[in-house]
Amino acid sequence: MMSHHHKNEVNIRELEDTSLQTEGFLIGAAAYNSSCNLSDNDKGVGVLYQQQGAVKIHNGRIIGCDGQGYIVRHCSDASKGSPFKYDKFYFYNEKYFHTHSIQHAHAHAFINIGIRDNKHVFCYYGKEKNAKNLHTHNGVFHSFSYKDPITKKSVTSSDFTTFLSFRMTPHLVNSIVYYHYIQEYDNKKHQTVFKYVKTSADHIKHYGEVPHK
């Protein structure tokens, strides 16, 4: 489905409409973690889960464990130009739902979960490569280029602290490069699978680090 794209040029718009293909997808049909490890706290995470028949995905930061599941924080609602709103989601494996009553409003059974040992988890409001509209995105920082306010020259840096120092002046940021998980339909397996991709974005309006707690 992505054969006509280069490796680093992922158009998320093409990957969003997989709900019809996965309507009959059973939770647990793919591999999933049987328990939550406290050692995963603060790491970047992608969660593939099912909500009312549709398979969805979340990228964020692991902030804790809750039984056989992960508590994940990510940011949303940045379109109004205000600071990011941070949402908390609880993801459990299917077996946990059968043996416990789940009280959380944002509780979902996860189909699969991917974890990267990278703590530079951030969110931004801008245009992902090849996208037409601005959206809120969650990802793991790789590098960025910016216009030096003194020399006026373009500089590229992979320093996360430097990147965050521009959070109040996003207009000086030319582009950002980051990693995140996307969902892709595997025709051979007939199921939705994870893919960890590197992509870039520009027209950045504002961004911030996803909080640890």
Side-chain angles (χ1 to χ4, degrees), residues 93-128:
N93 65 35
E94 185 198 13
K95 294 175 185 176
Y96 195 72
F97 274 90
H98 295 319
T99 55
H100 298 77
S101 61
I102 307 296
Q103 305 297 323
H104 305 300
H106 296 299
H108 302 282
F110 64 77
I111 298 169
N112 206 345
I113 190 165
I115 300 167
R116 291 282 163 164
D117 192 4
N118 190 318
K119 298 180 180 181
H120 296 162
V121 183
F122 77 106
C123 45
Y124 76 93
Y125 183 69
K127 289 184 181 179
E128 194 161 36

Side-chain angles (χ1 to χ4, degrees), residues 144-149 151-157 172-175:
F144 80 117
S145 66
Y146 62 94
K147 184 178 182 180
D148 188 289
T151 65
K152 307 297 182 185
K153 292 182 179 180
S154 182
V155 181
T156 299
S157 171
L172 293 175
V173 177
N174 298 323
S175 64

Side-chain angles (χ1 to χ4, degrees), residues 1 11-23 53-57 183-185 192:
M1 110 187 279
N11 190 338
I12 300 303
R13 308 280 88 67
E14 292 183 10
L15 301 173
E16 286 182 342
D17 190 25
T18 56
S19 58
L20 292 176
Q21 300 177 65
T22 55
E23 199 69 41
V55 175
K56 298 186 176 183
I57 195 168
Q183 58 172 289
E184 189 175 65
Y185 190 73
T192 298

Side-chain angles (χ1 to χ4, degrees), residues 127-139:
K127 289 184 181 179
E128 194 161 36
K129 191 172 182 69
N130 297 332
K132 294 179 179 178
N133 301 312
L134 294 161
H135 288 288
T136 301
H137 295 280
N138 291 264

